Amino acid sequence: MAITEDRPLALESGEVVTKNNRPLGALTRPQSDVGWASWFTTVDHKKIGIMYGVGSLFFFLFGGVEALLIRIQLSQPGNSFLSESLYNQVFTMHGVTMVFLVIMPMAAAFANYLLPLQVGARDVAFPRLNAFSFWCWLAGAIFLNTSWFLGGAPDGGWFAYAPNTSATFAPGNGMDFYAIGLQIAGIASLVSAINLIVTVLNMRAPGMTLLKMPIFTWMMLVVQFLLLFAVPVITIALFLLTFDRSFDANFFNVAEGGSPLLWQHLFWIFGHPEVYILILPAFGIISEVIPTFSRKPIFGYPFMVGSGIAIGFMGWGVWAHHMFVSGLGPISVAAFSLSTMFIAVPTGVKILNWLATMWGGRLRFNTSMLFAVGVITMFTIGGLSGVTHAVAPSDTQQTDTYYIVAHFHYVIFGGALLGMFSGFYFWWPKVFGHKLNEKWGKINFWTMLIGFNVTFGPMHVLGLQGMARRHHSYAEADGFTVWNQVVSLGSFVIAIGVLAFLINVVVSRREAKRNPVEMGPDPWDARSLEWSTASPTPVHNFDKDPVVQYQDDWWHRKWGTNDEGTIVRIAHPEDIADDGSNTNVHLPSPSYWPLVLSFSLPIIGYAIIFSLWLLIPAGIMFLAGFVGWALEPADDPEAAHGHDDHDDHGDNHDAATVSVGAEGASVD
Amino acid sequence: MSQKESPVGTASQSDTARRPSTHVRRRVGGLAVAGGSALLLAGCADTPLDTMAPESPIANEINNLFIGVGIVAVIVFILVQGAVIYMARRFRVAPPKDESQIYPDEDFPEQIHGNTRLEIGWTILPTVIMAVVAFFTLGTLFNLDDVSASDNRQIQKVTVVGQQWWWEFQYHLDDDDIPDIVTANELVLPVGEEIYLDVTSRDVIHSFWIPALNGKRDAVPGRTSPWTIEAGALGRFPGECTEFCGLSHAYMEKWVIGVTADDWQVWADNQMADAEVPTDADALAGWEVFSAQCASCHVLNGLTSLNDTDAADSFEIYDGANRLIDKQTQVSGAAPNLSHFASRSTFAGGIFELYENIDDVDYLDLAQAGDLNRGQLEAWITNAPEQKSNAWDSPTGQRGMTPFEALSSDDVDHLVAFLMTLD
């Protein structure tokens, strides 16, 4: 925590500052931090993290159903289960949903919940902006999906190649929903990136130098920088697309001198860093899980950090490998082929370091560890098939076939998603105060892993046999039938695996309610600061500001080395962890305005698509959101925080009271 | 849409094109890369679009590169997977009796934080592997870019034009810009000659791909991308569109037909002849239907061409060869040239067989000896959008063929009779 102060402010004169200038009416900040209504106004990073998690899982079911529809359609040659038009909408929305509405917000769930905890802070730097990010994302997600009922979903592919997405070739509203919906969700990512970067750089606990941060925090920091630079690129591309479609601009219109390849470059300059935005969070998660369940520190910490940063940098120089068949010319192709191959080096370093971390360890294969090891093996397959794509001449055969569908599902499902599931099992007790059931966890893992391989393994074969992707159907004579049936079968096994996870959530919660087990702060003997406070995390995170001496500081508080060099216990976690009993913590007040401001954005979207008259209510709401945000008191002394029962008369000076966030501190 | 046809093999030529034994052998290589089960795959049906069954020197070079890199990838995977399995067996510990205690106290492995030498080692190792892969990749890349077309070749180049949802091939046999042969969906080539292609599009991006002969090249509107193709053997080689192009992206096939150089010359001479007004009464009636219903989109060389361009402001020159079509009809301003429709083996973007016995008849004899697939052709003429989704009624302009349900059955019969004279 960089910003701390005593509260209430004691003036030099000894006069006590009293707060009698509270505004009235709508500008009063909401009070409650319990009950369902509090979720709409919360600025607590933990609640926001949970909402990201719930939201991403909700859309995960959406995207999953879309995947199953695709697989039903392709389970028979010449099938007409879905019409061509509907098929195009479904596969477009499957991609858009899984990338923007599932993996990214799921990573945001972990980042929001864990980054402040891991760096020893009480919240993110800008709590209201954090709430704004979440509601913006949700507004964009809902907006995108309302397209199903308003003339048809986007049908130009998640990559939306111009000019197939122009008003001429996609006359429906679908691609407008795509362009504007992603724009809104992009605001969420951008704002959140700035918020988390400031949090990590400015709000680390005393003593936590950059090279003492947990790897998860490091990878998330890299991701936020990638977002910070990548999102503006897609923002521009989406604006150009919206202007082409809605206002007769000609950025991609060949007849008027526009360039379709401009879209491809913009999309992939965003799109390839986006791949690392999707995968690095999972790398961070398993870099926490594997050491914990190997009972060893991470192997080669500086190299893990360095390779993550290297991936972040090199990720900017590989975008045109998506365009090897676009006709760039052999010199460009050669350059991007080389850069793509060499990004495999830092990735390989990471894999070898995880293996070295496990080497000689005490491996506990609980569900979290199984998922983490699943990432190592499955991602390796995706990485290696990625190398075969970097080989540009052979990519001209494999690109846009099912081989590449297999490749990126091994990366994004086998890497990112399995990593997040590892994270769910790992941090569930911290968030909800009880573990997930191990028996259901094993069922969850094995059905998902087997289903995943049965689904995406044969896609390599189908791709090499020449089955093109995004094809509505195939002919019996193409010889693709048998493997497609296997693939479709596998997709339903995955669905069972996901169902097992949901069952696990319910079963574990019921069991925890029926038979509450005293959940220690640190059930896994873990290493980073989030385990040094009670589970579930108290609303104020830490009773006192953590002070950090070591990398893996929490572990070093529990364990030391005796004279013989043997590791001995210094303390039990229950004895040294915060119990959440400190009530003298001042936290930022909830606010209505992030919600108001963010939900004005989809109305602007509807205005662009349907009628510009809608801009009037949208504009009023937008301005109200802005004005309310600006005018509401930054810090409402009357606002209760449940735990904030300190009196405001200043006779409590010795207690460690802390105000959170740049917003609160600057005004107080 | 189950009408897609059997893709490979005309008559005598197809035997050389297929070579099932090599298919199986090569596919096993590909399968190892996929990490799947070779046994299961070897039992599978023939796959005419196979990327690992090269029938040309170019495709062969690509395939060899892929197999080489694939072997490296499989070795790396086996090492990583082996390490994981080994460690999972050797280092796993049983779960504790008491779940609240994750590990027995003070049972620690050696706490190793890292090893700089190892790190440097396994940074250099993948770098070296990648450098080797890069060496062969760049070699192949520039080698493939070095086209070996001969100076006295029969075909100067072929302009490949993608359009929703079919392909046009414009042959240039001399150095002028006017195409000498314009045909659709079937690219007939003399075997063993590397042909220059200029790939472009009239509407959205498509991708030209014949897996047995070469990789893909996108057809980007407003650009012409150079590419080459060589039919390394006699036979029909199918290819799908592989850049998503809208509704009927899956139903946009094209074929390369490899024929002998002599056969190719026979074919080309025939293609360069103009279409003629038929003498047969039915066909003549069909020509009248055609000129009333079809000629505003479809060109017949010598019949629908207007020589007096000033007389037709609403027409524009199609493919540069004084062939005129109505500007108002299609978004792209073009539909397949039907001058030699009956000489092709397929129609409707290469997805329906025009003759039922294309596997048994020599490609050049199809118009004479083929058994017409009459039902499919009539269904296509009367209601094309029902046979293959298109956007003929799009509010932003027609893309694809209009339904002609008002045609009487006599009209359709006559039209088919006329079309069959276009050999």
Side-chain angles (χ1 to χ4, degrees):
Chain A
M1 287 293 285
I3 300 163
T4 60
E5 61 179 305
D6 284 342
R7 243 194 111 263
L9 288 173
L11 299 184
E12 295 286 325
S13 62
E15 185 191 349
V16 171
V17 180
T18 55
K19 304 260 185 165
N20 55 1
N21 53 349
R22 269 185 72 203
L24 299 171
L27 294 179
T28 316
R29 293 187 79 140
Q31 305 277 322
S32 124
D33 69 349
V34 290
W36 62 269
S38 70
W39 290 86
F40 290 96
T41 55
T42 187
V43 295
D44 178 358
H45 73 97
K46 297 179 290 296
K47 280 188 168 173
I48 291 169
I50 291 170
M51 288 197 291
Y52 266 119
V54 172
S56 61
L57 281 171
F58 175 76
F59 284 108
F60 183 47
L61 301 182
F62 257 65
V65 168
E66 282 153 5
L68 294 180
L69 292 175
I70 294 171
R71 287 320 314 173
I72 292 171
Q73 164 64 19
L74 294 178
S75 63
Q76 297 294 334
N79 204 351
S80 54
F81 171 73
L82 298 175
S83 69
E84 287 86 345
S85 165
L86 199 54
Y87 181 81
N88 292 348
Q89 294 173 41
V90 168
F91 82 69
T92 299
M93 283 304 284
H94 169 71
V96 170
T97 302
M98 288 304 192
V99 170
F100 294 100
L101 311 187
V102 178
I103 304 289
M104 287 177 77
M106 209 178 266
F110 286 102
N112 264 285
Y113 199 98
L114 293 168
L115 280 199
L117 285 168
Q118 287 204 330
V119 301
R122 287 190 201 282
D123 205 319
V124 294
F126 308 110
R128 285 187 299 176
L129 278 183
N130 200 26
F132 174 71
S133 292
F134 170 73
W135 294 114
C136 236
W137 168 76
L138 187 66
I142 293 171
F143 176 81
L144 255 174
N145 278 287
T146 55
S147 63
W148 289 109
F149 313 105
L150 296 170
D155 58 358
W158 90 285
F159 59 103
Y161 269 15
N164 192 39
T165 52
S166 70
T168 306
F169 296 106
N173 294 329
M175 293 316 294
D176 297 313
F177 278 98
Y178 166 92
I180 298 166
L182 293 191
Q183 199 74 280
I184 297 171
I187 295 172
S189 296
L190 195 56
V191 169
S192 176
I194 293 166
N195 205 346
L196 293 174
I197 288 170
V198 175
T199 305
V200 170
L201 293 185
N202 286 354
M203 296 175 71
R204 294 192 309 282
M208 182 178 276
T209 58
L210 287 176
L211 283 177
K212 285 179 186 154
M213 296 198 307
I215 302 268
F216 175 77
T217 299
W218 255 114
M219 292 306 110
M220 275 300 180
L221 181 64
V222 173
V223 167
Q224 303 314 315
F225 273 105
L226 290 178
L227 281 168
L228 180 65
F229 296 119
V231 172
V233 182
I234 189 74
T235 301
I236 290 166
L238 293 170
F239 266 124
L240 300 187
L241 178 60
T242 303
F243 273 76
D244 264 17
R245 289 183 56 83
S246 299
F247 306 115
D248 296 329
N250 292 305
F251 295 105
F252 309 120
N253 181 357
V254 177
E256 301 294 335
S259 166
L261 288 192
L262 173 64
W263 169 271
Q264 294 189 15
H265 282 292
L266 288 174
F267 187 82
W268 292 119
I269 288 174
F270 152 79
H272 204 83
E274 171 72 15
V275 173
Y276 298 104
I277 289 167
L278 300 177
I279 189 66
L280 284 176
F283 284 2
I285 289 170
I286 70 167
S287 299
E288 304 292 310
V289 171
I290 289 172
T292 302
F293 298 119
S294 303
R295 230 186 185 196
K296 282 177 65 191
I298 189 83
F299 192 93
Y301 173 90
F303 293 90
M304 284 303 251
V305 172
S307 57
I309 296 172
I311 290 171
F313 271 102
M314 294 170 80
W316 291 94
V318 298
W319 80 86
H321 68 214
H322 297 269
M323 300 165 63
F324 280 159
V325 301
S326 296
L328 297 175
I331 301 295
S332 306
V333 168
F336 282 96
S337 180
L338 281 179
S339 63
T340 306
M341 286 178 193
F342 287 102
I343 204 168
V345 173
T347 317
V349 167
K350 277 195 171 304
I351 288 170
L352 290 165
N353 274 301
W354 289 320
L355 293 179
T357 304
M358 290 166 67
W359 186 265
R362 301 280 183 275
L363 306 186
R364 273 293 314 275
F365 283 101
N366 55 20
T367 309
S368 182
M369 182 67 164
L370 284 173
F371 272 111
V373 174
V375 171
I376 298 180
T377 54
M378 295 301 111
F379 179 81
T380 300
I381 297 176
L384 290 169
S385 61
V387 171
T388 64
H389 287 304
V391 177
S394 94
D395 184 64
T396 63
Q397 285 284 18
Q398 279 107 41
T399 189
D400 280 316
T401 69
Y402 269 80
Y403 187 86
I404 210 153
V405 179
H407 157 70
F408 70 72
H409 279 96
Y410 269 87
V411 172
I412 292 175
F413 192 128
L417 196 70
L418 293 186
M420 307 261 204
F421 270 81
S422 173
F424 284 143
Y425 281 87
F426 188 60
W427 279 297
W428 205 268
K430 179 52 60 188
V431 177
F432 297 107
H434 63 85
K435 289 181 185 173
L436 285 171
N437 183 298
E438 274 296 307
K439 197 181 82 197
W440 278 102
K442 299 272 166 60
I443 295 170
N444 175 200
F445 171 73
W446 287 111
T447 43
M448 220 149 128
L449 186 81
I450 292 167
F452 166 73
N453 281 290
V454 172
T455 304
F456 298 107
M459 283 191 189
H460 291 106
V461 180
L462 282 170
L464 294 175
Q465 289 179 335
M467 181 168 170
R469 66 192 287 210
R470 306 186 181 112
H471 273 207
H472 167 257
S473 184
Y474 53 91
E476 177 84 57
D478 290 336
F480 302 145
T481 310
V482 174
W483 281 120
N484 268 296
Q485 286 168 344
V486 173
V487 168
S488 293
L489 185 76
S491 68
F492 282 88
V493 178
I494 295 177
I496 294 170
V498 174
L499 191 66
F501 175 75
L502 298 177
I503 292 172
N504 196 352
V505 170
V506 175
V507 166
S508 306
R509 187 178 160 76
R510 275 210 197 132
E511 175 63 23
K513 275 193 169 170
R514 188 171 351 111
N515 181 20
V517 180
E518 186 53 41
M519 204 24 247
D522 182 18
W524 312 122
D525 191 17
R527 315 180 74 87
S528 44
L529 285 178
E530 72 270 28
W531 305 102
S532 73
T533 190
S535 304
T537 318
V539 65
H540 56 277
N541 291 2
F542 301 101
D543 288 342
K544 51 194 180 299
D545 274 355
V547 177
V548 169
Q549 276 183 290
Y550 306 100
Q551 195 241 316
D552 287 343
D553 196 73
W554 170 243
W555 189 86
H556 285 278
R557 289 191 225 165
K558 296 180 288 186
W559 302 99
T561 319
N562 66 11
D563 292 342
E564 286 99 58
T566 324
I567 295 165
V568 292
R569 187 180 280 288
I570 301 171
H572 282 281
E574 288 75 13
D575 301 331
I576 52 170
D578 294 350
D579 59 9
S581 61
N582 186 5
T583 56
N584 283 313
V585 180
H586 183 76
L587 291 169
S589 299
S591 173
Y592 302 109
W593 304 109
L595 183 63
V596 174
L597 187 56
S598 53
F599 272 84
S600 70
L601 299 178
I603 305 178
I604 295 175
Y606 292 122
I608 294 171
I609 297 173
F610 295 109
S611 162
L612 290 176
W613 289 107
L614 276 171
L615 283 177
I616 294 171
I620 291 170
M621 191 169 160
F622 185 81
L623 282 175
F626 251 116
V627 170
W629 188 313
L631 294 188
E632 74 175 349
D635 170 41
D636 188 339
E638 299 299 317
H641 304 292
H643 279 63
D644 182 24
D645 58 358
H646 73 273
D647 67 78
D648 268 345
H649 300 293
D651 49 8
N652 213 357
H653 282 246
D654 49 349
T657 54
V658 181
S659 178
V660 176
E663 286 180 309
S666 61
V667 181
D668 266 16
Chain B
M1 295 284 294
S2 56
Q3 297 91 341
K4 290 177 73 177
E5 73 209 292
S6 147
V8 151
T10 55
S12 53
Q13 301 153 353
S14 65
D15 289 342
T16 43
R18 274 182 149 165
R19 295 212 296 257
S21 60
T22 50
H23 276 214
V24 171
R25 178 164 48 81
R26 283 171 179 141
R27 217 179 290 124
V28 170
L31 194 59
V33 172
S37 152
L39 284 173
L40 272 169
L41 189 69
C44 271
D46 197 14
T47 50
L49 290 156
D50 208 318
T51 64
M52 300 187 73
E55 294 288 357
S56 79
I58 302 168
N60 200 37
E61 196 170 344
I62 293 173
N63 191 41
N64 289 342
L65 181 66
F66 175 71
I67 289 174
V69 177
I71 289 169
V72 174
V74 169
I75 291 170
V76 173
F77 174 71
I78 290 171
L79 291 176
V80 171
Q81 186 66 40
V84 169
I85 292 172
Y86 174 79
M87 286 192 281
R89 296 174 66 89
R90 166 130 185 239
F91 301 123
R92 86 179 299 157
V93 293
K97 300 259 177 335
D98 176 9
E99 263 295 333
S100 69
Q101 197 188 18
I102 178 81
Y103 285 106
D105 238 14
E106 291 164 32
D107 169 31
F108 276 93
E110 195 186 346
Q111 301 288 295
I112 308 162
H113 287 266
N115 181 322
T116 307
R117 278 189 189 169
L118 267 181
E119 299 283 355
I120 291 170
W122 63 45
T123 306
I124 290 174
L125 182 71
T127 309
V128 170
I129 296 173
M130 283 302 130
V132 173
V133 171
F135 178 80
F136 288 103
T137 299
L138 296 195
T140 307
L141 184 65
F142 288 108
N143 195 26
L144 290 178
D145 193 54
D146 192 10
V147 180
S148 66
S150 67
D151 287 339
N152 56 352
R153 55 190 185 267
Q154 289 172 287
I155 302 169
Q156 291 304 313
K157 70 173 181 195
V158 178
T159 303
V160 174
V161 189
Q163 182 175 332
Q164 288 179 328
W165 288 272
W166 58 284
W167 292 90
E168 182 168 285
F169 301 113
Q170 305 173 355
Y171 288 70
H172 293 266
L173 306 186
D174 47 33
D175 285 332
D176 66 22
D177 282 340
I178 299 170
D180 302 290
I181 297 170
V182 179
T183 184
N185 303 323
E186 294 178 14
L187 181 59
V188 181
L189 297 177
V191 163
E193 211 180 296
E194 189 165 3
I195 308 289
Y196 283 109
L197 303 179
D198 270 351
V199 184
T200 187
S201 165
R202 287 202 187 90
D203 41 38
V204 302
I205 301 177
H206 306 274
S207 197
F208 179 82
W209 185 39
I210 306 289
L213 306 183
N214 199 348
K216 304 171 187 75
R217 176 59 40 116
D218 279 359
V220 182
R223 287 171 67 98
T224 48
S225 302
W227 199 232
T228 67
I229 198 107
E230 174 179 342
L234 299 173
R236 292 170 84 234
F237 306 103
E240 306 271 356
C241 177
T242 46
E243 195 64 85
F244 177 63
C245 61
L247 277 178
S248 273
H249 171 51
Y251 307 107
M252 183 174 166
E253 222 157 328
K254 68 270 180 199
W255 304 77
V256 164
I257 319 284
V259 298
T260 63
D262 291 344
D263 277 356
W264 185 82
Q265 197 57 56
V266 172
W267 176 84
D269 290 343
N270 180 54
Q271 296 287 313
M272 282 187 281
D274 280 348
E276 287 168 10
V277 177
T279 48
D280 172 74
D282 281 354
L284 192 60
W287 159 235
E288 279 166 15
V289 176
F290 188 97
S291 53
Q293 303 285 347
C294 315
S296 61
C297 291
H298 291 286
V299 168
L300 299 177
N301 300 346
L303 288 183
T304 63
S305 308
L306 298 182
N307 292 319
D308 179 8
T309 56
D310 297 334
D313 284 344
S314 67
F315 283 70
E316 68 183 347
I317 294 179
Y318 164 57
D319 77 34
N322 201 25
R323 300 172 183 122
L324 305 178
I325 67 161
D326 192 339
K327 278 181 188 172
Q328 307 303 318
T329 50
Q330 301 259 338
V331 166
S332 60
N337 184 315
L338 299 181
S339 303
H340 297 277
F341 175 75
S343 73
R344 301 178 199 151
S345 61
T346 60
F347 64 102
I351 65 165
F352 299 127
E353 293 177 351
L354 185 56
Y355 301 102
E356 285 167 358
N357 54 345
I358 57 170
D359 290 336
D360 309 324
V361 179
D362 197 80
Y363 185 76
L364 267 62
D365 298 336
L366 277 174
Q368 283 72 44
D371 295 337
L372 180 63
N373 190 355
R374 181 177 291 272
Q376 186 61 61
L377 182 59
E378 290 184 354
W380 176 254
I381 290 169
T382 48
N383 197 340
E386 196 180 85
Q387 299 297 311
K388 167 173 163 176
S389 280
N390 68 25
W392 70 276
D393 55 352
S394 165
T396 52
Q398 181 182 346
R399 289 173 286 132
M401 184 163 147
T402 316
F404 291 94
E405 290 177 293
L407 291 180
S408 70
S409 62
D410 280 353
D411 286 346
V412 175
D413 286 347
H414 295 155
L415 203 48
V416 170
F418 171 64
L419 289 172
M420 288 301 103
T421 67
L422 301 170
D423 54 359

